[in-house]
């Protein structure tokens, strides 16, 4: 974790803030300045906090994102009890990791030439907000408390997730914080599901695949392929590929069978990404037995008219309706005899599409994306490029 003291070593403006005595910390990839005193409408002394977006140049150097700030507190007032004017903004909400930071509004005060750095930005807002309180209460209202506040790292990522903070969707991302997701099968589609989930802030990703990584896998998997990866277990290849990006990636060279209870302990959601019907049947059985909701993916392709045609399938099995969904016979539990998929390796775009549909559905279930119809079954037709759902 990059602490505020580490940032101060590489960013002179952050060092200035600390040396002057501001209570500065990092929370959920935002810069936080606590102990910002102000007057309420009754001239009582209140304390708030300034929250500012950050842009990371790298893991140690940062720069301003914009001129605005979020504020924890009511609207600061002048000595006569009227709200301080020329602050812009309005009511706002934002989810941070620290319980004491409850954002109520944002402010927008932009000098003609903008702000040079964080020090100038913080000083400007503090002078406006704290000025009346200092005039009335003196040193008691000074924001330079020299208080040390621990930075809060609420991320599973080893790189700064500034996209979440910049988009202000921390409340949506937090829906995944307790999720333990398993991917059963790390082949074409499974490897793309893994790639997408690695960039989703789930608590843990478990993966299971007993097969080795060969040349044909390189043509239907994401990312750069290194020659020394060929011949190794898929789990080993992908573990090394992603473990520097985030915590909580645990990939194993095992098969999930009808008695794999220990391997699935604590799992909250599963993706089945296998191409063998009997194996799928065993996996579905253990997941239903353990009451784990899951999504099963697959493709049915053929070559009747020269070019390849077919369907991409995504099926969601909920805890409550898994048995009913299974009885619909929309998930193949046996192997087709003429599936061109087994011979054609140049279909990475279909693997990625299949993974996209599955992960989007999962994120709908978690409330990250809207879900008006609550479909459990989607078929994408390759010929017409149309999706049919029920």
């Amino acid at each position: 974790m990059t602490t505020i003291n580490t940032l101060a070593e590489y960013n002179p403006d952050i060092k200035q803030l600390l040396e002057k005595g501001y209570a500065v910390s990092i929370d959920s990839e935002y810069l936080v300045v606590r102990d910002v005193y102000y007057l309420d409408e009754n001239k009582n002394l209140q304390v708030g906090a300034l929250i500012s977006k950050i842009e990371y140049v790298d893991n140690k150097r940062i720069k301003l994102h914009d001129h605005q700030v979020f504020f924890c507190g009511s609207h600061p007032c002048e000595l006569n009890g009227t709200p301080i004017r020329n602050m812009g903004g309005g009511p706002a909400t934002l989810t941070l990791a620290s319980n004491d930071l409850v954002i109520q509004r944002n402010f927008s005060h932009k000098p003609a030439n903008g702000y040079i750095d964080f020090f100038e930005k913080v000083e400007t807002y503090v002078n406006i907000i704290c000025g009346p309180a200092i005039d009335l209460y003196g040193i008691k209202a000074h924001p330079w408390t020299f208080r040390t506040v621990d930075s809060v790292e609420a991320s599973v990522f080893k790189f700064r997730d500034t996209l979440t903070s910049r988009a202000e969707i921390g409340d949506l991302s937090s829906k995944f914080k307790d999720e333990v997701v398993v991917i059963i099968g790390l082949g074409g589609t499974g490897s793309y599901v893994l790639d997408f989930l690695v960039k989703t802030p789930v608590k843990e990703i478990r993966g299971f695949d007993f097969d080795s990584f060969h040349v044909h896998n390189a043509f239907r998997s994401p990312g750069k392929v290194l020659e020394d990866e060929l011949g190794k277990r898929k789990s080993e290849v992908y573990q090394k590929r992603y473990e520097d990006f985030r915590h909580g990636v645990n990939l194993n060279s095992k098969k999930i069978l009808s008695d794999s209870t220990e391997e699935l302990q604590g799992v909250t959601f599963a993706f089945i990404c296998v191409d063998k019907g009997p194996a799928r049947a065993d996996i579905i059985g253990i997941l239903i037995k353990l009451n784990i909701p899951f999504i099963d993916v697959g493709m049915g392709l053929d070559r009747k008219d020269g070019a390849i045609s077919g369907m991409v399938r995504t099926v969601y099995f909920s805890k409550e309706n898994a048995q009913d969904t299974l009885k619909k016979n929309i998930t193949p539990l046996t192997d087709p005899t003429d599936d061109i998929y087994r011979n054609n390796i140049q279909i990475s775009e279909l693997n990625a599409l299949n993974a996209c549909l599955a992960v989007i559905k999962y994120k709908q279930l978690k409330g990250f994306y809207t879900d008006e119809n609550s479909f459990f079954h989607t078929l994408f037709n390759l010929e017409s490029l149309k999706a049919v759902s029920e």
Side-chain angles (χ1 to χ4, degrees):
M1 179 178 72
T2 305
T3 65
I4 195 67
N5 289 329
T6 301
L7 289 179
E9 292 181 28
Y10 295 88
N11 300 273
D13 50 345
I14 303 302
K15 183 178 180 181
Q16 278 184 285
L17 290 171
L18 291 174
E19 288 180 342
K20 187 161 184 178
Y22 285 108
V24 188
S25 64
I26 302 293
D27 187 304
S28 307
E29 315 305 349
Y30 294 89
L31 185 75
V32 178
V33 180
R34 287 176 169 83
D35 301 342
V36 178
Y37 293 93
Y38 67 97
L39 296 180
D40 63 18
E41 58 184 1
N42 297 315
K43 302 183 184 180
N44 295 318
L45 187 63
Q46 306 290 346
V47 61
L50 295 173
I51 317 294
S52 183
K53 290 183 181 180
I54 293 173
E55 276 197 35
Y56 278 85
V57 179
D58 51 39
N59 267 358
K60 296 178 180 177
R61 294 179 298 151
I62 61 177
K63 65 178 183 178
L64 289 171
H65 176 71
D66 57 26
H67 63 279
Q68 300 180 29
V69 296
F70 294 96
F71 187 66
C72 299
S74 57
H75 199 298
C77 293
E78 302 281 5
L79 285 170
N80 61 8
T82 61
I84 294 176
R85 302 178 63 184
N86 300 321
M87 289 287 279
T93 58
L94 188 68
T95 301
L96 300 178
S98 298
N99 293 329
D100 66 321
L101 297 176
V102 181
I103 290 173
Q104 299 181 38
R105 63 194 65 252
N106 66 347
F107 293 126
S108 178
H109 180 84
K110 185 178 182 180
N113 297 319
Y115 296 110
I116 298 174
D117 55 22
F118 280 107
F119 183 78
E120 183 184 27
K121 180 179 180 180
V122 170
E123 285 270 274
T124 301
Y125 278 101
V126 164
N127 287 337
I128 295 172
I129 294 170
C130 297
I134 293 174
D135 287 344
L136 188 60
Y137 287 92
I139 194 172
K140 186 178 179 180
H142 281 189
W144 310 291
T145 61
F146 287 91
R147 186 160 69 97
T148 300
V149 182
D150 291 334
S151 294
V152 177
E153 182 63 71
S155 177
V156 296
F157 301 112
K158 297 181 180 181
F159 290 87
R160 296 289 180 177
D161 180 20
T162 53
L163 286 177
T164 294
S165 57
R166 289 170 62 182
E168 300 175 24
I169 57 173
D171 57 324
L172 296 179
S173 292
S174 67
K175 295 177 181 291
F176 302 104
K177 65 183 179 66
D178 296 321
E179 287 289 285
V180 178
V181 182
V182 64
I183 307 167
I184 304 170
L186 299 174
T189 301
S191 63
Y192 280 100
V193 171
L194 174 63
D195 189 69
F196 297 145
L197 287 180
V198 159
K199 294 146 191 171
T200 303
V202 296
K203 180 181 178 180
E204 182 187 355
I205 302 168
R206 296 181 198 171
F208 294 93
D209 196 306
F210 190 70
D211 293 338
S212 298
F213 188 85
H214 296 299
V215 172
H216 70 275
N217 299 111
F219 281 89
R220 56 183 190 189
S221 63
K224 180 181 179 181
V225 177
L226 302 177
E227 189 172 351
D228 65 359
E229 294 176 337
L230 300 176
K232 294 181 179 178
R233 297 288 190 186
K234 290 178 184 176
S235 58
E236 180 183 356
V237 170
Y238 293 126
Q239 182 73 41
K240 185 176 180 181
R241 191 175 292 184
Y242 293 113
E243 63 185 4
D244 288 339
F245 186 80
R246 58 161 291 155
H247 304 282
V249 178
N250 298 300
L251 309 181
N252 303 274
S253 295
K254 291 183 179 181
K255 292 182 179 180
I256 294 297
L257 305 172
S258 58
D259 60 350
S260 299
T261 302
E262 183 178 349
E263 289 81 358
L264 298 173
Q265 189 68 36
V267 168
T268 58
F269 199 89
F271 290 87
I272 302 177
C273 307
V274 300
D275 59 359
K276 294 181 174 62
R280 180 183 288 110
D282 282 347
I283 295 165
I284 288 176
I286 186 65
L287 291 175
I288 291 178
K289 177 182 177 181
L290 296 177
N291 205 29
I292 298 172
F294 62 93
I295 288 175
D296 177 60
V297 300
M299 292 186 246
L301 304 175
D302 59 56
R303 191 182 175 186
K304 294 180 180 178
D305 300 316
I308 295 172
S309 62
M311 297 280 190
V312 173
R313 172 182 54 79
T314 305
V315 185
Y316 166 55
F317 291 74
S318 67
K319 290 182 180 181
E320 300 79 13
N321 301 314
Q323 287 288 2
D324 292 337
T325 303
L326 188 61
K327 291 177 182 178
K328 295 179 183 292
N329 295 319
I330 53 179
T331 296
L333 304 182
T334 58
D335 292 336
T337 58
D338 59 347
D339 191 354
I340 196 66
Y341 174 82
R342 297 183 183 280
N343 300 316
N344 186 347
I345 64 174
Q346 307 289 346
I347 52 171
S348 60
E349 62 275 10
L350 294 184
N351 291 128
L353 175 61
N354 207 179
C356 282
L357 293 173
V359 174
I360 288 171
K361 180 59 187 179
Y362 166 66
K363 291 187 173 183
Q364 284 182 322
L365 294 169
K366 296 304 299 179
F368 186 86
Y369 293 128
T370 57
D371 187 4
E372 293 183 357
N373 298 298
S374 299
F375 293 133
F376 73 94
H377 178 211
T378 296
L379 281 175
F380 180 86
N381 187 299
L382 186 57
E383 296 180 32
S384 63
L385 295 183
K386 291 182 179 180
V388 178
S389 299
E390 61 177 319

